[in-house]
Amino acid sequence: MDTQPIISLSDVSKRFPVGDGEFTALKNINLSFQKAEFAGLVGPSGSGKTTLLNIIGSLDSPSEGKAVVMGKSISALSHRESALLRNHHIGFIFQIYNLLPVYTVFENVEFALLLQNRSADERKKAVMEALDWVGLSSMAHKRPDKLSGGEGQRVAIARAMVKRPAILLADEPTANLDAENAHIVLKMMKKLNKELDTTFLFSTHDEKVMKYLDRIVHLRDGKVEEDEIITTQQAAS
Amino acid sequence: MIRFLLKGILRDRSRSILPIIIISIGVMLTVALSGYMRGAFGDMIDQNARFSTGHVKIMSKAYAENQDQIPNDLALLGIGEMVEGLQQDYPDVEWVPRIRFGGLLDVPDESGNTRAQGPAAGMALDLLSPSSTEIERMNIDKSIVSGRVPQNPGEAIIGDEFARKLELSLGDVFTYFGTTMEGSMTFKSFTVVGTIRFGSIGMDKGMVIVDVSDAQMMLDMEDGAGEVLGFLKGGVYKDEVAVEMATAFNARYEGDEDEYAPEMFPLKAQNNLEGLLEYGETMSGLFVFIFVLAMSVVLWNTGLLGGLRRYNEFGIRLALGEAKHQIYRSMILEATIIGIIGSIVGTLIGLGLSYYMQVVGIDISEMITESSMIMPTVIRSKITPELFYIGFIPGVLAMVFGNMLAGRGIYKRETAKLFKELEV
């Protein structure tokens, strides 16, 4: 197994200007995540979960410290290089599925590959495979407004996974799902984590999600309160 | 990617319909108005060329200076030889002598006393030579209201309105009273063989047309003519050719002190047509400028609204790894596609309107009853090759320009806020 961490955070702090002063969202975070981890950032609102996801997702950069993702120092990346890193190595799943309403399920999933200039044949094969993973191949030509909430989130997972990213960042992915759909989605993600060796990193305070995690990083007031490794027996498979 | 964008444009009506409508209307107006102006100015220039100025016109220097007074005493002489020489020097130009004259028309009653009288504007053309193209050029055949074209010396055609005013009928005789080129009094009788309506108020109110040989005899202008008009073959006025020809011709007589020496004038140097041509071009340019400006402002706002509506979409695309410049580029590409569609629709509608206006036209005769200008009474559009792109290019540019302004907002978007923004 490759021991080089896929995500490495050293003394990462993040401050935001507020009025005349500053608000510190993250304080000296030291964390690393290995390939194929299924981990979660857990904590109350304002604990710094989303800020940390932003930095790992190269959507923001730390005020201090060093964040290295896929061997790239986030602070040193230009906007274009950040976009390239996201395009090739990082997938995102949001609380709301945010599918593009005018495009079909197939086209929504295909979009990520269009940005990589892949051939039509390659795209078709990859999209159908991704829809297969989430069990929605039969809905490829439907529009998002014809899907249920659970189906919408599964399409979002397919869209995030179709480019086979090394890292998948999910911000409260089950917040808008009922219990049954939440379990379906989480099982699916767990399966993809095992099959594709993708590192899943959640930001959540949902108990249902926590049951599936192999590692839980508890955050409070921008600091790591506890870094908990869950044993295989504890975590739901 | 273009296919992907096209699907979005076609499926998301609110993204495409409003801009397409705006562009179509703007392009349609530009095309239709340009076509109408080109037609109106073109007709005016064409009528002036046919009736008065030719594409180039040769007069004696002195005649040219006082041409408003029709000073036939300063007319050119030795016309036969001159025209022959001109035909050889300029084989691509057709040269025709013309004599304009003014005088009094007297209509006698059965006993020979004056029944009616009126001032007349006479024009003498080559009507009787078998090789003459003047009848066709002046469209006399089609403009005849009653009767026929003169076929013999001593025959005349007269403005239909003028004939009605003088109560002249076909076969009636009238007598022309005027002065010869030497200044002595002259009179000659003509038989009315036709009445004519050119559709130009200035001419229809008092025009008499006779053969040039009759006029030469009547005005004592043997082998003379007030003006020699040149028409470029093909019938289309080409300013550069006309100006170049006139410059070269006049250079031969530069420094010649003889007031009877000939001088050539291109069309635009006569009857204030240069101003008219420039006015036409300025107006066309102004239309296009106003159109681009107004459309750009409207489309800028439409683009801003579109940007707000698609805020989430752009956020998702940023998160998926599309760079800001790529999104901006795709917006411009979309704008170009929408601009092209709108411009095609607008151009087609504009051309359709222009075609209708070319066939039907607008009758302005009621508005210019007192006018003495040589201008058509029915203003028609003219479809020219320029109409195919005069609205099209500005239409696309306005859409692209408007979206370039609106799209700058994408560069102000903070990716750090994406997660928060995409939760709502």
Side-chain angles (χ1 to χ4, degrees), chain A residues 50 53-54 58-60 79-80 83-84 86-87 90 92-98 100 102-104 107-108 110-112 114-115 143 159 163 169-172, chain B residues 1 3-9 11-12 15 310 312-326 334 414-420 422-424:
Chain A
T50 305
L53 276 194
N54 275 338
S58 77
L59 294 171
D60 205 353
H79 167 74
R80 286 185 192 201
L84 212 60
R86 290 196 297 276
N87 187 3
I90 304 173
F92 288 88
I93 295 174
F94 303 95
Q95 193 173 321
I96 300 171
Y97 345 117
N98 282 306
L100 305 178
V102 295
Y103 296 105
T104 62
E107 288 158 354
N108 264 281
E110 184 189 23
F111 184 72
L114 275 172
L115 297 176
R143 294 277 184 90
R159 179 177 64 185
K163 58 190 179 188
L169 305 176
D171 187 28
E172 306 282 7
Chain B
M1 192 57 136
R3 245 179 88 196
F4 192 81
L5 294 176
L6 257 177
K7 282 179 192 168
I9 291 169
R11 291 176 194 166
D12 185 2
R15 188 189 304 183
R310 298 172 70 190
N312 262 25
E313 178 195 327
F314 293 145
I316 289 289
R317 287 166 62 175
L318 283 170
L320 286 177
E322 196 169 1
K324 289 174 179 176
H325 75 277
Q326 287 175 305
E334 268 183 31
E414 290 178 45
T415 50
K417 292 181 179 169
L418 281 179
F419 272 119
K420 289 282 172 214
L422 294 172
E423 277 174 16
V424 289

Side-chain angles (χ1 to χ4, degrees), chain B residues 18-19 22-23 291-308 328 331-332 335 395-409 412:
Chain B
L18 183 63
I22 293 168
I23 296 168
F291 159 67
V292 172
L293 196 70
M295 291 299 111
S296 294
V297 171
V298 174
L299 293 167
W300 174 15
N301 278 285
T302 313
L304 285 174
L305 289 174
L308 285 176
Y328 187 72
M331 284 168 77
I332 302 304
V396 177
L397 284 182
M399 181 66 190
V400 171
F401 187 56
N403 275 267
M404 279 172 81
L405 288 174
R408 288 177 313 163
K412 293 177 185 156

Side-chain angles (χ1 to χ4, degrees), chain B residues 47 51 138-146 157-162 164 194-201 203-205 207 209 365 377:
Chain B
Q47 279 214 356
F51 292 128
M138 297 284 281
N139 207 19
I140 290 175
D141 265 342
K142 288 180 184 161
S143 305
I144 290 267
V145 178
S146 60
I157 46 179
I158 183 167
D160 188 58
E161 204 178 313
F162 195 31
R164 272 189 273 126
T195 64
I196 196 162
R197 189 183 296 132
F198 285 117
S200 165
I201 296 288
M203 299 181 69
D204 293 339
K205 281 199 298 193
M207 175 62 70
I209 295 174
S365 55
T377 50

Side-chain angles (χ1 to χ4, degrees), chain B residues 373-403:
Chain B
M373 273 182 76
I374 297 176
M375 61 183 292
T377 50
V378 177
I379 307 278
R380 295 172 196 279
S381 294
K382 186 171 187 188
I383 295 178
T384 59
E386 289 82 32
L387 291 193
F388 287 84
Y389 60 80
I390 197 162
F392 187 89
I393 294 170
V396 177
L397 284 182
M399 181 66 190
V400 171
F401 187 56
N403 275 267

Side-chain angles (χ1 to χ4, degrees), chain B residues 182-243:
Chain B
E182 305 298 343
S184 53
M185 191 177 172
T186 183
F187 53 89
K188 179 172 169 57
S189 293
F190 290 92
T191 304
V192 177
V193 293
T195 64
I196 196 162
R197 189 183 296 132
F198 285 117
S200 165
I201 296 288
M203 299 181 69
D204 293 339
K205 281 199 298 193
M207 175 62 70
V208 173
I209 295 174
V210 299
D211 182 64
V212 73
S213 59
D214 278 339
Q216 283 172 334
M217 194 168 67
M218 176 175 80
L219 303 170
D220 269 350
M221 292 172 70
E222 196 182 341
D223 201 21
E227 305 162 350
V228 175
L229 272 59
F231 293 92
L232 299 173
K233 282 188 179 156
V236 178
Y237 176 64
K238 291 171 188 154
D239 192 47
E240 280 173 23
V241 177
V243 170

